Each structure stands twice: as structure tokens, then as C-alpha cells.
Amino acid sequence: MTEAPYGFEENGRRFVLASPTAMPAASTFLWNRRMLLQLNCRGFATAQFMQPEPAKYAHAPTLEARSFMQPEQPYYAHHPGRFCYVKDEDDGGLFSVPHEPVRRAPDSFAFSVGLDDVAWRVQCAGIDVEMCVVLPVDDVAELWTLRVRNRSGRRRRLSLYPYFPVGYMSWMNQSGRYRSDLGAIVCDSVAPYQKVEDYFRQRDFKDRTVLLHARAPDAWEANQATFEGEGGLHAPKGIVDGEHLGGGEAAYEMPTAVLQYRVTLDDDDVQEFRFVFAPARDDDEIRQLRARHLSPDGFTEARRASTAYIGAGAGCLRIETPDPWLDAFANHWLPRQVYYHGDVNRLTTDPQTRNYLQDHMGMGFLRPEVARAAFLHALSQQEPSGAMPDGILLSEGAELKYINQIPHTDHCVWLPICLRAYLDETGDDTILDELVTAREGDAAPVADRIDRAMRWLLKARDARGLSYIAQGDWCDPMNMVGWRGRGVSGWLTLASAYALKEWAAVCARRGDDALADEFHAGADACNAAMNAHLWDGDWYGRGITDDDVPFGIAADTEGRIFLNPQSWALLSGAPDDDKRTRMLAAVDAHLVSPYGVAMYDPPYTRMREDVGRVTQKFPGTAENGAVYNHAAAFYLYSLYQAGDADRAWHVLRAMLPSPAPEDCLQRGQLPVFVPNYYRGAWRLHPRTAGRSSQLFNTGTAAWMYRCLVEHLFGLRGEGDALRIAPQLPSHWPSARAARRFRGAWFDVAMERVAGVATTRVAVDGAWLEDSLLHGIEAGRTYQVRIELPA
Ligand code: CEZ
């Protein structure tokens, strides 16, 4: 590693951060079919599992819960994380791994982020400690290994204290104790409820949190207050004041899980410990956890399965470019994030419809059969009117919750857009004739259902031809533009036009000219309405409120220019050349920041009751004027559609931290997932601008992957053919790509060649007439050479 305290290893499959303080919030996530675990470099952690709704097993009390707690219960600062204290029994010296809670400066530190594991290696006071976690594929459990080695050149007497805080569990009933018969600290609770029907819903919940050990400890503590005492978590009384933890229990007190191992290590001695941290329902389940995972090769087996599971989501593209971080990200980490979204649907039982569709647009590149099933499933919940519901129910008993109870008007738009990507990737037009039966019992082929959705979009417009917004469009918190029923969305009008055009193209390809004409005319009407009512001189406005006030226009002092209407205008074809030039210049002037393209600017600093709660978010965070990557990805896609390769490159590259410390450290983001946003407001709040949200749920992943595959490297399906038309940034002299497509592999070398006027493509030595390759044979590997103008 160079002077920057981080870098990729193992050919891009692992990223290592060598400091616990340089990027204190830097994080990664692991998931399996039933749970997810986000970990940051200092050892903080949040875990969530499905039962079947998302639930936690180590948590802090919510405010609501705190109002129910008995006054006799002291509220201890909760530290959700996974830690190990190390105490020198001779000199009393104390440190902790990964870094929290003691925060003693280590001699060396590594937060080592793998595709299917996370490990820390810490050296402090002559002791090496390694902590590592993997998840089994189909079980809710964290499998932790702790390895301690004496490097100090002398015999050491140490106490090790693996510490897995459980936190507040329930205001009805919570406790904790050591169970030698199970080999675990068991924390019990009753998930709180008040409605009698919830009793029946919750009675089989995994209301216990357990820390199982492979090797019996010398002592333990299950009472958080006793453990911590007056010392706090930096110097817990149980560790600092005593030789042995007290073996206490929690009786309607805050439980915790701390074990103590007293070990004597000669120089270079190593000892290894294994633990399972998990929720469980009862003693039987705890015994099963032990049998499954703490058997001699339980961990090895789980790791093997986990590697295979992650491997099953491998991408369809391998690249080699002048940008090694982009290579590692595109080859391993971005497809991994796309796979996470598509395989477990963000671990919710009612994903927002637009998220579900876009996530499966991404999945189409990895596991097309999964995407296909998802499109059919979504359409089975289409309403008789042609509208799509706000969320897609995935399991028996699931219901629309939270944001999915708020009426949004954009869901139909995503159907043809995401389906188009699937059709291009797979050539599977048979899906269009697949019969889908809706809940009401009505059966119709996919193509008919999309027709209905398009007609619904055309109908949901006002007399001017602009699309109603109700309580939100793509922008969830833009909830008060149209809640009284009149307000319209400029973005949605343009998005409808683009969706209609995408669908018209499919209809035309199927030979259905009447439908193609109908939808083309609809798209033209949307575009015309937009040009008539929301062109503001240099850019398109965002919408018009219930009171007929246009916003996102030059006359506004906050929320003056929005990115989405400009991006989608490029896609829908609304602007003429002059408008297009003005729009792009305005985006460059107002929205391009050092950390990417902002979603709008300036951010709102006070509530606008005719726009909604988006204006109440802190300026520069989330939808209130952040570099919201999902919106930036739409812009990216629109720039590639327009052939603006260099502008697109800058937008794309800014979604990822660069290796330069001033950029990477300011963002605090590791190049192992694309976060949903980086803070904007770079004029108002320069200190925090660029800081990553660390949130890995984002539609950005699918769009970014699509842009890389179809446009940057230009290897896109079209009917029965592969269209080969890369859009490399002009400063790249060459690049290589391997692309899996319809069962064949394409080995592609692209190079700028002096004297070449237009891009030309040779496949297996023969130059193509155009950029289309027909007659692809599965199982074959094609050699492709692309010459680009210098
Ligand atoms: O959720 C995302 C949604 O999942 O926000 C996007 C939207 O298009 C996605 O479907 C833009 O609004 O409700 C809120 O205020 C939240 O901010 C959500 O809107 C947001 C979360 O940040 C998800 O991480």
C-alpha cells in the first residue's frame, strides 16, 4: 500500500482500510437469504433478519419504547457492535478490537472487507488479534472467529472478553443469564404488543438473543449495568476492577453478553475461539444452532456455502481499464450489490414497486430467470385500472406499510423501462405473451398489461396534459405538491413520455403498428405539454403545485433547478437542440459539484408547504439537494443515450470515491458499494459536503451496471443481435472487456487508433458492416477488436 491508508487486494476482491480513524464511518455489509449485517471499521454493527417482517436481535430502544420503560431501569448508552476487550493481567493494560469501545491507538490495524467475509487484524501491545465474521447462507446467525497471537517475545497472561452487546429488548419482559447446559449467554424477551391479535402473530418470534461459544469461558456477565458500572464502556467496571466477571444475570434489566477467557500465551502462541451470535426462539433452536455451526467443520462448511452463494451472482462483465478502482468495483462489488438487491429484495416483504422493478432490471444482467419471475409477479398485482400498487407483496400475510401507504403516481413508468432492459439482455420476447392472472382473477398477457399501464399513465394527466403527482412521484418525500389533487409533476410527464416511447418501440418490433402509433402519439402529447407549460427559459421546471405555482424554476431562490426533469427530457426527446444545449449548460453551472451531480440546488432551508417534507430534510442530505446517486444515474444514462461520453464519464466516476485521499477521506466511503447519496450543499455546508450516507439500498446499482455494460463498454443486446458501440472517455487510450451474453463470451479489446475516423468493429478477424453482430452461438467465445477514433 502507498501512503493512502487503504487499497484493494486479491485482484480487487478485497479492500483493506488500515486506519480506524481516517474514515470512522466507513462500512460494508454482508447478507444472506434471511438477514443482513452492516459493519463499520470501528466495530459498530447493525443486523436485521426476516421473521418474516424485518426484526432486530441487538438494538437500542426506540423513544416510544423508552416511554414504556420502568423508571427503575437505568438507560445505559447502547453500543451496537461486536467487540473483544483484551486485558494484560500483569500490568492491567487494556485495549479493544476492532477499535471501539476502548479506542486505544493500535500499532497496526486492518479492516479487511471481503465479498463474503469481514475481518479485522489489530496489533496492540505485542498482541495480534484477528476477528472475522461470515454468514451461513440460509440461517440467521453470525459466525465469529477470534484468533489471538502473542508477538511480544515474552510470556503473557491475558484476559479476553468477547463482548456482544444485546441492548434493550422489550418493555414487557427482558432478562439474561448464562446457560452452561446450552453453552451460551441467553437473553430473553417478549416482543412488545398490545393488540390481542398480535399475540398470535408474534408468539413464534425469535425473542431470544444468544451468544454461543465453542470453548467454555472462565467467567461471564449477562447484566449490562453490572458489567459497565461507573466506568462506562471505555473502562467497564467488570473488567477493570476484577479478576473475574461476576457471572451476573439481568432480571428485567438491560441484558448483555460478555464472556471472559483467561489465557497464558508463550511467545508466538496462538489461540482460536469461535462464537455464534444469533436470535433464537427456544432452547431447541439454540441447540440446533450449536449442532449446525459449532461442529468441527461448521464454520468451514458455512464459509464454503457462502462463497458459492455470492459467486452465483457474478456479473456479466469483466473489465480492465486505466482505472483500477473502477475495474475492481465493476468486476466484483457492483454486481454483488445488484445481486443483493435482486436476490433478497432489500430484505423487505413489500418493496416499493419502482424499487422492485429497477432492482430486477439489474438482476436481468446476472440471473435473468429471477428477473423474469419478478416482472411476472409484479404484474400479477396490477390493479384493474392498469395502475400499479405502491408496493409489491412478496410473502403470504405481507401488507403495504410505511411509504407504501402513500399514493405515488410513477409506478407504471418503470414497467416498460425495466422490461426493455430485460428484453435487450435476454432476447426473451416470450415473456410478452405470458399470461398473468391478477388477484381479481383476470388473466391477460404481459404485453396487454403494459398497454393498460401506459393508458393509465396517459389518463392520469390534467387538462394541460401534465401528469398528476398526488403525494409523490419517484421522489418519495415530495408529498405536498399535489395532495389536494391538482398538482402535477414535470418529471413524471417526461418519464411517461419516455416509458411510452420505450413501449412503442417494443410494439413496433412485434409488428403492432396501431399500438406503436397510439403510444408514440401519447409520448408526443406529454412532451408537448411539457414544452408548453414547464420550459423555463434555460431548463425544465420540476412541477406545478396545487395552487398553480410552478417550481424548480429560475425565479425560485431554493430548489431552483432539478436534475431529474433535465435527464428525462434528454431521454424523452422533449427538447430541441437549443433547449438541450441550454439545459446541459445549466446542469453544469448549477448542479455539478466536486462530489457528483446534485439532485437539485440550492437545497431548501425551510419548509415549503406546497412542496412537502423533502424541504424539511437537512439541507444537502438525501433528496434535499444531495448528490443523490439514483438521480445522478438517470442523468448518466441519459447522457450515454445522447452520446455524450465525456460528460457521462465525469458523472459516473463521481459516484465512486477516487483513490486520492482528499476525495476518499472526505466521502468516508469505501469503493465496495455505491451509497444512496453523498451530501450536497457544497456552498452552504462545505465541511460536510461529499460525506457518504453509508446506505447501500439504492436503485443506483442497477442503473450504474446497465450503463457500464450497455454504454461505457457498449455491449448491448438488440433483438437477436449484440450491438457493439462503446463510449470510452476520450482520455482512455484503450480498455478490455469480457462480456457474457446469451450463453456466449465476448473477449473485447478496444483501442484508439490514429487515422480511424469512425469506430469500427472486427469479430473473429472479420470487420462488421455496422456495429451489430447477429447469429450469436451459445457456448462460443468470440474475439472482438474495436478501433476507436484517436
Ligand atoms: O427511499 C428511496 C426510495 O426507496 O427514495 C427514492 C425513491 O425513488 C426510492 O424508491 C427517492 O425518493 O421516504 C423518504 O423520505 C426516504 O428518503 C426514502 O425516500 C428513501 C430512502 O433514502 C431509502 O434509502
Side-chain angles (χ1 to χ4, degrees):
M1 256 183 268
T2 55
E3 87 256 5
Y6 45 71
F8 278 107
E9 294 181 357
E10 296 175 13
N11 212 2
R13 291 166 195 274
R14 181 171 293 282
F15 190 83
V16 177
L17 172 63
S19 159
T21 52
M23 305 161 79
S27 69
T28 183
F29 68 101
L30 296 172
W31 85 95
N32 67 21
R33 296 203 180 104
R34 308 189 45 201
M35 67 176 290
L36 75 84
L37 176 64
Q38 184 167 27
L39 297 154
N40 86 7
C41 64
R42 296 165 73 93
F44 290 132
T46 25
Q48 181 177 302
F49 73 106
M50 306 296 280
Q51 68 170 352
E53 295 301 337
K56 294 204 155 124
Y57 51 91
H59 33 180
T62 59
L63 266 187
E64 188 213 1
R66 285 174 68 183
S67 74
F68 283 101
M69 288 165 81
Q70 305 297 307
E72 50 154 351
Q73 289 221 16
Y75 173 66
Y76 280 84
H78 179 57
H79 234 57
R82 316 288 182 258
F83 314 103
C84 181
Y85 294 92
V86 180
K87 181 167 92 169
D88 186 309
E89 289 291 1
D90 292 312
D91 64 14
L94 185 68
F95 68 93
S96 63
V97 182
H99 186 67
E100 300 286 348
V102 177
R103 305 184 184 174
R104 176 159 156 196
D107 297 322
S108 91
F109 174 93
F111 175 45
S112 175
V113 176
L115 294 164
D116 48 48
D117 70 52
V118 179
W120 288 263
R121 285 186 304 276
V122 178
Q123 299 187 335
C124 198
I127 304 297
D128 286 9
V129 184
E130 199 181 298
M131 263 176 93
C132 175
V133 60
V134 297
L135 302 182
V137 176
D138 225 336
D139 200 2
V140 188
E142 304 170 20
L143 311 187
W144 286 89
T145 307
L146 173 71
R147 201 171 289 119
V148 182
R149 172 184 226 127
N150 177 6
R151 294 276 206 173
S152 57
R154 59 194 167 90
R155 165 180 287 213
R156 300 286 291 271
R157 294 193 314 125
L158 303 174
S159 269
L160 312 170
Y161 305 87
Y163 168 45
F164 288 66
V166 170
Y168 171 81
M169 296 177 82
S170 158
W171 48 260
M172 282 180 63
N173 185 330
Q174 62 177 5
S175 63
R177 73 194 52 77
Y178 182 71
R179 291 274 302 271
S180 53
D181 57 327
L182 296 172
I185 287 187
V186 178
C187 302
D188 268 296
S189 72
V190 172
Y193 69 94
Q194 286 163 329
K195 297 184 197 137
V196 84
E197 54 277 23
D198 286 343
Y199 167 74
F200 297 99
R201 225 168 34 82
Q202 298 186 179
R203 72 179 161 187
D204 292 334
F205 274 13
K206 294 176 190 292
D207 271 348
R208 289 176 162 187
T209 301
V210 294
L211 178 63
L212 284 144
H213 53 69
R215 168 170 153 186
D218 297 294
W220 59 84
E221 180 57 66
N223 184 311
Q224 173 84 12
T226 311
F227 174 61
E228 201 176 319
E230 292 304 307
L233 291 169
H234 293 57
K237 186 174 184 326
I239 292 180
V240 174
D241 286 4
E243 292 215 330
H244 284 92
L245 291 175
E249 57 174 47
Y252 194 49
E253 294 160 305
M254 184 114 87
T256 197
V258 203
L259 304 173
Q260 179 180 9
Y261 294 93
R262 292 174 64 101
V263 298
T264 301
L265 297 177
D266 283 326
D267 185 39
D268 218 32
D269 271 1
V270 183
Q271 292 204 14
E272 195 181 279
F273 306 81
R274 284 174 298 134
F275 307 98
V276 175
F277 190 52
R281 182 165 124 68
D282 51 23
D283 285 6
D284 262 1
E285 270 195 23
I286 298 174
R287 284 189 204 100
Q288 285 163 22
L289 282 168
R290 169 172 295 280
R292 262 201 303 279
H293 303 301
L294 288 172
S295 62
D297 32 60
F299 275 35
T300 328
E301 177 49 31
R303 177 182 274 270
R304 195 202 49 74
S306 170
T307 306
Y309 170 67
I310 300 296
C316 62
L317 182 74
R318 286 289 152 115
I319 60 170
E320 214 182 297
T321 74
D323 188 333
W325 276 33
L326 180 74
D327 295 354
F329 184 68
N331 292 342
H332 306 295
W333 298 93
L334 180 59
R336 175 185 187 269
Q337 192 177 0
V338 171
Y339 181 49
Y340 153 71
H341 285 109
D343 202 57
V344 298
N345 297 299
R346 307 183 183 204
L347 286 169
T348 144
T349 59
D350 64 327
Q352 288 175 263
T353 301
R354 79 175 82 82
N355 293 357
Y356 186 67
L357 294 172
Q358 291 170 88
D359 289 349
H360 285 283
M361 175 180 91
M363 198 62 161
F365 294 98
L366 312 181
R367 301 280 301 271
E369 72 288 359
V370 176
R372 186 183 208 272
F375 293 134
L376 298 177
H377 182 68
L379 282 170
S380 75
Q381 293 176 22
Q382 185 177 36
E383 292 165 13
S385 65
M388 288 299 284
D390 280 283
I392 301 298
L393 302 174
L394 296 184
S395 57
E396 199 58 50
E399 40 191 54
L400 297 180
K401 299 181 299 292
Y402 308 111
I403 194 70
N404 289 336
Q405 297 175 332
I406 314 297
H408 288 68
T409 45
D410 63 311
H411 295 293
C412 286
V413 150
W414 307 100
L415 285 171
I417 293 173
C418 299
L419 196 59
R420 176 71 194 271
Y422 170 82
L423 295 176
D424 287 349
E425 182 62 14
T426 59
D428 170 27
D429 281 8
T430 64
I431 192 177
L432 299 171
D433 298 315
E434 196 83 46
L435 265 192
V436 176
T437 307
R439 264 173 303 190
E440 293 74 14
D442 153 44
V446 166
D448 282 21
R449 293 199 170 275
I450 312 284
D451 295 344
R452 293 181 199 178
M454 296 304 95
R455 291 185 184 125
W456 185 87
L457 282 175
L458 284 169
K459 243 176 75 187
R461 294 183 305 149
D462 71 0
R464 292 166 296 197
L466 299 168
S467 301
Y468 290 118
I469 185 170
Q471 288 184 44
D473 55 19
W474 169 88
C475 186
D476 279 334
M478 192 175 272
N479 62 336
M480 286 164 82
V481 169
W483 67 293
R484 283 181 279 133
R486 281 174 52 85
V488 292
S489 162
W491 168 75
L492 183 54
T493 309
L494 293 164
S496 299
Y498 177 58
L500 286 157
K501 281 195 173 175
E502 286 288 89
W503 187 239
V506 175
C507 295
R509 199 175 71 205
R510 282 162 60 84
D512 210 326
D513 293 337
L515 282 175
D517 291 348
E518 175 190 342
F519 297 134
H520 260 301
D524 291 345
C526 291
N527 281 339
M530 203 56 197
N531 283 325
H533 302 286
L534 271 165
W535 175 254
D536 184 49
D538 283 306
W539 60 79
Y540 288 100
R542 180 63 172 84
I544 303 176
T545 70
D546 279 327
D547 298 318
D548 258 329
V549 177
F551 67 102
I553 57 170
D556 288 320
T557 51
E558 299 190 335
R560 188 183 300 133
I561 168 170
F562 282 68
L563 182 60
N564 277 343
Q566 324 317 321
S567 313
W568 291 75
L570 286 180
L571 292 172
S572 80
D576 57 22
D577 285 350
D578 174 59
K579 286 194 172 78
R580 187 188 292 256
T581 312
R582 285 167 188 277
M583 264 165 49
L584 288 171
V587 170
D588 285 345
H590 296 275
L591 299 179
V592 173
S593 90
Y595 303 100
V597 194
M599 189 171 126
Y600 58 76
D601 203 64
Y604 294 97
T605 58
R606 61 187 71 84
M607 174 63 164
R608 242 190 95 161
E609 290 186 353
D610 60 348
V611 173
R613 72 180 169 90
V614 63
T615 66
Q616 294 178 291
K617 296 198 177 190
F618 190 82
T621 69
E623 292 94 333
N624 191 9
V627 173
Y628 205 84
N629 281 318
H630 195 184
F634 298 146
Y635 184 50
L636 175 68
Y637 186 73
S638 74
L639 291 172
Y640 277 129
Q641 288 286 341
D644 203 337
D646 279 339
R647 238 200 208 96
W649 167 253
H650 289 294
V651 175
L652 173 72
R653 196 59 190 75
M655 293 177 165
L656 252 197
S658 77
E662 62 278 14
D663 182 76
C664 198
L665 300 185
Q666 178 69 14
R667 293 178 191 256
Q669 171 69 33
L670 304 184
V672 299
F673 65 87
V674 57
N676 80 331
Y677 71 83
Y678 297 106
R679 287 217 204 168
W682 63 102
R683 299 184 184 96
L684 214 57
H685 296 292
R687 183 174 60 83
T688 50
R691 194 181 280 177
S692 163
S693 67
Q694 304 291 338
L695 298 173
F696 48 80
N697 280 345
T698 172
T700 313
W703 282 96
M704 214 175 165
Y705 203 61
R706 185 178 184 184
C707 286
L708 284 167
V709 171
E710 293 188 347
H711 296 284
L712 178 55
F713 296 95
L715 300 163
R716 175 166 61 84
E718 197 177 297
D720 69 345
L722 178 67
R723 180 170 292 284
I724 305 174
Q727 297 193 52
L728 301 190
S730 53
H731 67 281
W732 281 6
S734 64
R736 298 187 64 91
R739 163 80 152 108
R740 186 184 65 221
F741 180 72
R742 304 204 186 162
W745 275 96
F746 295 81
D747 226 327
V748 187
M750 20 195 124
E751 201 182 353
R752 297 199 182 277
V753 176
V756 166
T758 49
T759 300
R760 51 182 208 150
V761 180
V763 177
D764 290 334
W767 295 104
L768 294 184
E769 300 268 301
D770 46 21
S771 53
L772 279 176
L773 179 71
H774 293 275
I776 294 156
E777 291 167 38
R780 257 187 74 179
T781 299
Y782 295 83
Q783 300 299 326
V784 180
R785 173 170 170 76
I786 307 177
E787 295 187 350
L788 301 154

